[in-house]
């Protein structure tokens, strides 16, 4: 039987680990007792620890590692003789941990700082414990107890937290230890103020245990986490005696998980939530933002306890949402034991899943790689190389992630995807073996004319100036590589266009967006975020009078529940597939057209938003095809029905904060000066922008008055007939604007080029301090005589672009020639 699962065991033994939760190691002369590494017990209770099943097993494991007698005394003698650096190296070398995330808020005597740990692990990231930060502020600040109030504390806490964001990979709360997990995210300021007074009156050193204040601190932290895209670790389940186990049941988190303000916050429940592992599994299965971590449960439980706990996590939860950690602390041995036992336990769990028919062998191997590294890489958004764990191969955190390779066999393929000047999504497929050996480094060849072809004909557009002569390289951007959700034997990756590997081609759409993004950042220290709404038709094939025809999948009206029911099986595949690609789906519903639907994505930095849009179209088309349907994003599928857009919402960010809203309600139009000038630039250049965002003749059949598509060159507050609509979502202070929406962006546009031209227009607005005209607060069609009509044909848009020298300078002359040629 073991021979049958040899491949699974070898894969688990080979994989490099991403340890997503641990703590600092202490010096040998620390007052922390070595026996404390084997148990959560303290004080007199610790004397019984040597008689627990896990203690006896773990003691043997360490003795075998060091080659000593199986006794605590023999191991401690070996530690003193060898020295910390020596046995720490041995423990981490045997554990094969490639990345380690440390919560340094645990109070330990003579603990080493995070930098010290980098001697043993290539990348060490910091997890910030929010309660420890709050206590540190109240302990260290010069204000005395009587000088603090909730406002001054909030200001100090949020400012300090924001300043630390670039240095951390996640936040963590130990609310379970202090007041329990029934968090009130709407705690009043009066209750929090009272809690602050109570904590201050207790004197220093500060220890925050008041529930109202803890709930308030956690809510403030969630706001920062949501804004800065930081995940949150939550201690759940068992721990030491300070914790009331009854209140650490993760089911108490329902109020927090249901709070729509924080629906995008990625949350991980630590320690398998033991003994509430089933409850944690349920939460992860029904809340998309909830992930699970089994550190501490492994290796602190018996073998039966560890296996049953992890099995319970996987009863309902996706294997894409379960993560490894050691919860190592104080001694290097805790990291070694956590890694060793985790490999053994995961093997037992996945082997049993194969034997029971839940998983195939290939699926089990894939799940193991997810649990030990891939899931954490995605969840914490790390850019790491798990092929080596030597300290020389240093790695740094990034907002990008690298997906491990798919299984290398003759039936495994990698799709290399690019979007051309006409908006067509194209791909080349290569075998995974060839991709990993050569293509990953050198790319594949692509004719230069690929960026000069129109959407209807695979030949050069004459005026594009690109011909059949010349070749560039399609080079995979490994940070975008994902396993394809609907066919696990394949993966897909977005490509950049290079003259040579490492030398960008001036026609590359993704590089164009990066280049303009750099101008916005360098000149104004701003980042543009974008979020897309994807409208599309689902069509089914029927035979009428011997001829194949496509007809609407459904005939319900806008937001019809019957249409929702009809499409539910499709969306039950689309949404999880997008989530597996780290794409946030905010909502989806039936649209006004017959068989028309919309999927709205969460906002992200422009480059990521454009990448996400490419993958979203791939997912929707492929899942629809699987169900025997055709999904089309064409702007005007039926001239007698409503059109499909890809409305885009835009905002400006600086140092992790949205700077588009005004600082107070008295400012003009509810926008900051920066926001108003940027939007004024977009409005000014909108006729030219349409040549990118509405790139087909068919696009202009959609952009008509009274169709919510923005036919006139104007803007309005929450005016869905205006070409640009400013938005003040629920929860925003009255009169303030958080973002603006452009209606004239459709599903045939290249998203990277579309966002690049919008950003370029906004940069011009900032440079020239352009001013907005008065908003239009009525249907623009009713005052058409006073407004300028946007281009009514693609040729008019191209003519406007031809005259727009500002965009030529920012986007590149040669690229603009190609775009105009393709459009003509």
């Amino acid at each position: 039987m073991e021979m049958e699962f040899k491949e699974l065991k070898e894969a688990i033994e080979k994989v490099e680990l991403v340890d997503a939760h641990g703590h600092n190691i202490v010096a040998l002369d620390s007052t922390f007792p070595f026996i404390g590494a084997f148990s959560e017990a303290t004080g007199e209770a610790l004397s019984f620890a040597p008689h627990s099943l896990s203690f006896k097993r773990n003691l043997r494991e360490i003795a075998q590692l060091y080659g000593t007698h199986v006794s605590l005394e023999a191991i401690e003698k070996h530690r003193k003789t060898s020295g910390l650096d020596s046995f720490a190296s041995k423990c981490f070398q045997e554990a094969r941990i490639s990345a380690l995330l440390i919560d340094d808020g645990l109070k330990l005597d003579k603990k080493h700082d995070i930098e010290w740990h980098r001697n043993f692990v290539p990348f060490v990231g910091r997890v910030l414990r929010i309660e420890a930060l709050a206590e540190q502020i109240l302990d260290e600040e010069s204000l005395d107890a009587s000088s603090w109030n909730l406002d001054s504390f909030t200001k100090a806490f949020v400012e300090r937290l924001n300043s630390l964001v670039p240095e951390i990979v996640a936040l963590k709360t130990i609310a379970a230890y202090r007041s329990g997990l029934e968090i009130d995210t709407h705690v009043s300021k009066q209750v929090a103020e009272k809690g602050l007074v109570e904590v201050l009156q207790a004197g220093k050193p500060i220890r925050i245990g008041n529930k109202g204040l803890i709930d308030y601190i956690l809510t403030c932290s969630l706001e920062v986490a949501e804004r800065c895209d930081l995940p949150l670790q939550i201690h759940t389940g068992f721990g030491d005696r300070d914790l009331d186990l009854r209140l650490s049941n993760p089911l108490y988190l329902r109020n927090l998980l249901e709070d729509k303000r924080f629906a995008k916050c990625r949350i991980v429940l630590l320690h398998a939530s033991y003994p509430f592992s089933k409850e944690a599994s349920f939460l992860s299965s029904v809340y998309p933002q909830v992930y699970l971590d089994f550190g501490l449960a492994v290796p602190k439980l018996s073998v039966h306890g560890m296996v049953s706990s992890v099995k319970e996590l996987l009863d309902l939860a996706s294997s894409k949402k379960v993560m490894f950690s050691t919860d190592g602390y104080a001694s290097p041995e805790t990291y070694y034991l956590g890694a060793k036992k985790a490999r053994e336990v995961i093997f037992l769990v996945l082997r049993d899943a194969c034997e029971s028919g839940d998983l195939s062998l290939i699926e089990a191997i894939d799940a193991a790689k997810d649990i030990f590294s891939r899931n954490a890489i995605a969840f914490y958004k790390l850019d790491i190389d798990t092929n080596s764990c030597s300290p020389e191969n240093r790695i740094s955190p990034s907002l990008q992630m690298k997906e491990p390779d798919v299984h290398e066999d003759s039936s495994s393929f990698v799709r290399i995807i690019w979007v051309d000047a006409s908006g067509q999504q194209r791909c080349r497929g290569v075998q995974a073996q060839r991709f990993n050996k050569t293509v990953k480094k050198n790319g594949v060849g692509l004719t230069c004319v690929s960026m000069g072809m129109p959407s209807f004909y695979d030949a050069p557009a004459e005026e594009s100036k690109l011909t059949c002569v010349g070749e560039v390289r399609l080079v995979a951007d490994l940070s975008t590589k994902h396993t394809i959700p609907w066919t696990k034997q394949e993966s897909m990756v977005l490509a950049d266009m290079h003259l040579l590997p490492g030398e960008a081609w001036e026609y590359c759409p993704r590089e164009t967006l990066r280049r303009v993004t750099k101008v916005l950042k360098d000149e104004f220290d701003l980042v543009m975020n974008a979020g897309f709404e994807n409208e599309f038709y689902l069509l089914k094939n029927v035979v009428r009078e011997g001829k194949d025809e496509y007809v609407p999948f459904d005939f319900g009206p806008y937001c019809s529940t019957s249409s929702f029911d009809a499409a539910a099986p499709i969306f039950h595949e689309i949404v999880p597939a997008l989530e597996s690609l780290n794409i946030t789906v905010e909502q989806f519903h039936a649209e006004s057209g017959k068989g028309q639907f919309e999927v709205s994505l969460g906002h992200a930095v422009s480059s990521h938003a454009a990448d996400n849009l490419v993958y979203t179209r791939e997912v929707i088309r492929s899942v629809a095809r699987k169900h025997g349907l055709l999904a089309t994003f064409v702007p005007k599928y039926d001239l007698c029905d409503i059109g499909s857009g890809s409305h885009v919402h835009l905002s400006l960010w600086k140092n992790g904060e949205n700077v588009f809203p005004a600082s107070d309600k008295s400012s003009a139009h509810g926008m900051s000066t920066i926001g108003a000038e940027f939007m004024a630039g977009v409005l000014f250049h909108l006729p030219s922008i349409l040549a990118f965002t509405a790139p087909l003749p068919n696009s202009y059949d959609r952009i008509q008055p009274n169709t919510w598509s923005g036919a006139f060159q104007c803007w309005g507050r929450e005016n869905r007939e205006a070409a640009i609509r400013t938005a003040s979502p629920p929860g925003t202070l009255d009169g303030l604007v958080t973002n603006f929406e452009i209606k004239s962006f459709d599903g045939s546009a290249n998203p990277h080029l579309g966002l690049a031209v919008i950003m370029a227009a906004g940069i011009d607005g900032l440079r020239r301090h352009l001013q907005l005209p008065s908003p239009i607060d009525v249907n623009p069609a009713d005052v058409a005589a006073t407004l300028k009509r946007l281009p009514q044909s693609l040729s008019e848009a191209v003519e406007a672009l031809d005259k727009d020298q500002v965009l030529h300078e920012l986007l590149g002359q040669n690229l603009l020639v190609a775009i105009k040629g393709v459009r003509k």
Side-chain angles (χ1 to χ4, degrees):
M1 184 64 70
E2 289 302 316
M3 288 300 296
E4 184 178 343
F5 294 104
K6 180 181 179 182
E7 187 178 355
L8 173 61
K9 194 172 189 67
E10 287 179 349
I12 290 174
E13 289 300 321
K14 182 180 177 182
V15 67
E16 298 292 344
L17 308 181
V18 176
D19 186 348
H21 182 71
H23 303 277
N24 305 67
I25 290 172
V26 301
L28 274 177
D29 59 348
S30 169
T31 58
F32 185 88
F34 176 59
I35 190 175
F38 294 87
S39 172
E40 286 293 289
T42 56
E44 293 183 7
L46 194 56
S47 64
F48 294 93
H51 305 286
S52 67
L53 301 182
S54 64
F55 182 97
K56 293 178 181 294
R57 181 196 68 239
N58 289 332
L59 196 68
R60 286 196 302 272
E61 300 276 10
I62 297 300
Q64 184 177 2
L65 174 70
Y66 291 159
T68 68
H69 294 296
V70 184
S71 71
L72 197 61
E73 294 75 14
I75 292 173
E76 288 194 280
K77 181 179 179 181
H78 174 84
R79 295 173 97 244
K80 291 177 181 178
T81 303
S82 301
L84 178 59
D85 284 2
S86 175
F87 66 81
S89 294
K90 187 173 185 63
C91 286
F92 280 109
Q93 184 178 359
E94 292 296 323
R96 297 195 306 285
I97 295 172
S98 289
L100 169 60
L101 308 185
I102 289 183
D103 162 22
D104 59 352
L106 181 63
K107 293 181 179 179
L108 295 166
D109 178 51
K110 296 186 180 179
K111 67 182 181 183
H112 289 286
D113 61 17
I114 285 180
E115 187 63 34
W116 179 87
H117 296 75
R118 294 192 172 103
N119 294 314
F120 310 101
V121 181
F123 167 62
V124 181
R126 183 187 181 194
V127 176
L128 181 67
R129 186 182 293 202
I130 59 175
E131 292 85 1
L133 176 64
E135 290 168 349
Q136 182 183 12
I137 289 170
L138 294 174
D139 267 329
E140 292 181 355
E141 293 287 347
S142 59
L143 294 176
D144 57 34
S146 62
S147 301
W148 281 109
N149 58 42
L150 190 65
D151 287 339
S152 62
F153 166 72
T154 304
K155 183 174 184 295
F157 178 76
V158 174
E159 284 181 354
R160 182 80 68 88
L161 190 53
N162 280 326
S163 71
L164 292 170
V165 165
E167 304 172 16
I168 61 178
V169 294
L171 301 178
K172 179 187 174 182
T173 177
I174 55 166
Y177 265 97
R178 302 295 177 85
S179 56
L181 295 179
E182 193 171 6
I183 308 299
D184 179 5
T185 55
H186 296 280
V187 59
S188 69
K189 285 193 172 184
Q190 291 82 1
V191 169
E193 184 94 56
K194 183 178 179 181
L196 178 62
V197 171
E198 177 185 302
V199 167
L200 292 170
Q201 287 177 343
K204 295 184 178 182
I206 296 292
R207 185 183 189 278
I208 301 175
N210 179 275
K211 183 179 186 319
L213 183 57
I214 287 175
D215 291 354
Y216 180 80
I217 290 169
L218 180 51
T219 304
C220 291
S221 301
L222 283 167
E223 291 172 351
V224 174
E226 194 277 335
R227 186 172 65 248
C228 299
D229 194 25
L230 278 174
L232 174 69
Q233 297 182 345
I234 301 181
H235 182 109
T236 59
F238 73 133
D240 61 41
R241 63 185 263 177
D242 284 349
L243 176 145
D244 186 336
L245 187 60
R246 297 166 297 180
L247 299 179
S248 65
N249 187 327
L251 292 181
Y252 280 118
L253 290 169
R254 189 169 183 272
N255 287 337
L256 186 156
L257 300 177
E258 292 285 340
D259 194 318
K260 294 181 180 179
R261 294 173 297 167
F262 311 125
K264 290 191 232 174
C265 288
R266 305 188 307 283
I267 291 172
V268 58
L269 308 181
L270 298 174
H271 313 318
S273 298
Y274 182 83
F276 309 111
S277 303
K278 291 180 179 178
E279 289 85 344
S281 180
F282 164 72
L283 291 176
S284 182
S285 72
V286 297
Y287 290 101
Q289 71 270 41
V290 175
Y291 291 68
L292 308 174
D293 182 301
F294 55 77
L296 186 63
V298 178
K300 285 294 193 295
L301 304 179
S302 68
V303 172
H304 172 76
M306 291 187 291
V307 171
S308 62
S309 182
V310 174
K311 281 185 175 180
E312 286 180 352
L313 292 184
L314 290 169
D315 275 344
L316 292 172
S318 163
S319 61
K320 294 283 186 184
K321 299 179 83 175
V322 176
M323 290 183 281
F324 158 79
S325 79
T326 60
D327 195 40
Y329 61 95
S331 70
E333 291 87 351
T334 57
Y335 286 98
Y336 167 74
L337 291 170
K340 185 176 190 299
K341 302 316 293 183
R343 292 183 197 271
E344 294 172 8
V345 167
I346 292 298
F347 170 73
L348 294 174
V349 170
L350 295 180
R351 182 201 64 185
D352 290 353
C354 291
E355 289 181 338
S356 63
D358 285 333
L359 295 175
S360 68
L361 182 60
I362 291 177
E363 289 170 334
I365 292 172
D366 203 47
K369 292 181 178 180
D370 283 338
I371 290 168
F372 280 123
S373 63
R374 292 174 182 170
N375 293 345
I377 290 170
F379 183 84
Y380 296 100
K381 296 193 174 181
L382 307 173
D383 184 3
I384 68 172
D385 179 5
T386 55
N387 291 322
S388 173
C389 58
S390 63
E392 290 77 17
N393 291 307
R394 295 301 171 100
I395 30 188
S396 58
S398 168
L399 292 179
Q400 317 247 344
M401 75 175 238
K402 290 184 181 176
E403 279 289 319
D405 300 322
V406 294
H407 305 298
E408 290 190 8
D409 59 53
S410 59
S411 63
S412 302
F413 299 98
V414 179
R415 300 182 190 181
I416 304 171
I417 297 173
W418 76 98
V419 187
D420 67 15
S422 72
Q424 296 289 307
Q425 295 189 189
R426 304 178 186 267
C427 83
R428 291 273 184 86
V430 297
Q431 283 188 317
Q433 291 172 327
R434 179 170 180 260
F435 179 86
N436 291 325
K437 288 179 181 177
T438 61
V439 174
K440 182 189 293 187
K441 179 180 179 181
N442 300 317
V444 295
L446 180 72
T447 174
C448 292
V449 79
S450 63
M451 281 299 288
M453 296 190 298
S455 60
F456 64 92
Y457 186 54
D458 289 338
E462 184 177 348
E463 293 187 37
S464 71
K465 305 302 181 185
L466 292 168
T467 70
C468 58
V469 178
E471 182 173 277
V472 294
R473 309 299 294 175
L474 280 177
V475 178
D477 178 354
L478 297 178
S479 70
T480 68
K481 187 165 177 279
H482 295 276
T483 299
I484 295 179
W486 55 91
T487 169
K488 297 296 185 181
Q489 278 189 306
E490 295 183 31
S491 60
M492 56 185 176
V493 64
L494 298 179
D496 292 320
M497 299 173 181
H498 288 194
L499 291 170
L500 296 169
E503 183 181 345
W505 190 38
E506 62 184 316
Y507 293 86
C508 176
R510 298 181 82 237
E511 179 63 24
T512 300
L513 179 55
R514 289 191 198 102
R515 191 170 64 248
V516 182
T517 298
K518 187 176 187 301
V519 174
L520 182 64
K521 179 66 175 176
D522 289 349
E523 289 191 24
F524 303 101
D525 195 22
L526 294 173
V527 174
M528 186 178 85
N529 277 16
F532 286 96
E533 301 172 11
N534 295 267
E535 294 175 341
F536 57 94
Y537 277 84
L538 288 176
L539 308 173
K540 59 184 178 182
N541 184 263
V542 298
V543 178
R544 289 179 178 171
E545 299 179 356
K547 295 182 180 179
D548 285 346
E549 293 182 19
Y550 280 103
V551 299
F553 162 79
D554 183 78
F555 293 87
Y558 173 72
C559 282
S560 163
T561 54
S562 62
S563 297
F564 194 101
D565 284 338
I570 301 168
F571 284 106
H572 276 298
E573 292 190 41
I574 288 174
V575 175
L578 291 174
E579 289 177 347
S580 75
L581 302 175
N582 305 309
I583 298 173
T584 301
V585 177
E586 291 197 337
Q587 60 177 320
F588 49 95
H589 61 266
E591 259 297 348
S592 300
K594 299 178 181 65
Q596 188 186 35
F597 294 86
E598 178 182 303
V599 173
S600 297
L601 306 180
H603 71 88
V605 173
S606 293
S607 58
H608 293 167
D611 291 348
N612 289 346
L613 186 60
V614 174
Y615 279 151
T616 298
R617 293 172 182 171
E618 288 292 310
V619 168
I620 291 172
R621 287 176 180 137
S622 298
V623 173
R625 190 180 301 116
K626 178 181 174 182
H627 287 264
L629 300 173
L630 172 68
T632 177
F633 296 87
V634 68
K636 194 73 170 177
Y637 158 71
D638 185 343
L639 294 179
C640 298
D641 209 337
I642 201 75
S644 290
S646 187
H647 305 168
V648 61
H649 291 256
L650 303 160
S651 55
L652 295 174
W653 294 70
K654 185 174 184 177
N655 298 327
E657 292 191 17
N658 187 355
V659 296
F660 202 87
S663 56
D664 58 70
K665 293 190 291 184
S666 63
S667 299
H669 310 309
M671 290 175 272
S672 64
T673 300
I674 288 173
E677 291 179 355
F678 186 91
M679 197 176 89
V682 175
L683 181 62
F684 178 83
H685 290 280
L686 198 53
S688 307
I689 290 172
L690 260 61
F692 289 83
T693 62
L696 300 179
N698 180 263
S699 299
Y700 299 84
D701 293 326
R702 168 184 168 263
I703 304 175
Q704 299 293 327
N706 301 309
T707 61
W708 289 16
S709 57
F712 295 91
Q713 190 175 359
C714 65
W715 75 279
R717 302 185 190 94
E718 297 291 6
N719 187 341
R720 283 172 166 77
E721 269 295 321
I724 293 179
R725 171 180 75 96
T726 57
S728 301
T732 305
L733 191 63
D734 288 346
L736 297 189
V737 173
T738 63
N739 65 86
F740 68 96
E741 175 191 30
I742 298 178
K743 293 287 187 179
S744 47
F745 201 123
D746 66 48
S748 61
N750 181 309
H752 297 89
L753 293 178
L755 291 181
V757 72
I758 290 169
M759 196 183 302
I763 289 170
D764 184 49
L766 291 170
R767 284 175 173 175
R768 295 198 286 148
H769 304 293
L770 294 181
Q771 300 298 301
L772 285 169
S774 298
I776 301 300
D777 295 326
V778 298
N779 185 341
D782 294 341
V783 290
T786 65
L787 298 174
K788 182 180 177 181
R789 183 75 157 83
L790 285 173
Q792 298 184 57
S793 67
L794 181 56
S795 59
E796 287 184 28
V798 172
E799 184 179 352
L801 178 61
D802 198 39
K803 299 174 182 176
D804 199 328
Q805 287 306 306
V806 170
L807 298 187
H808 283 69
E809 293 168 6
L810 279 165
L811 296 175
Q813 186 68 34
N814 289 338
L815 174 63
L816 266 291
V817 169
I819 293 295
K820 289 184 289 184
V822 169
R823 300 296 181 265
K824 290 178 181 180

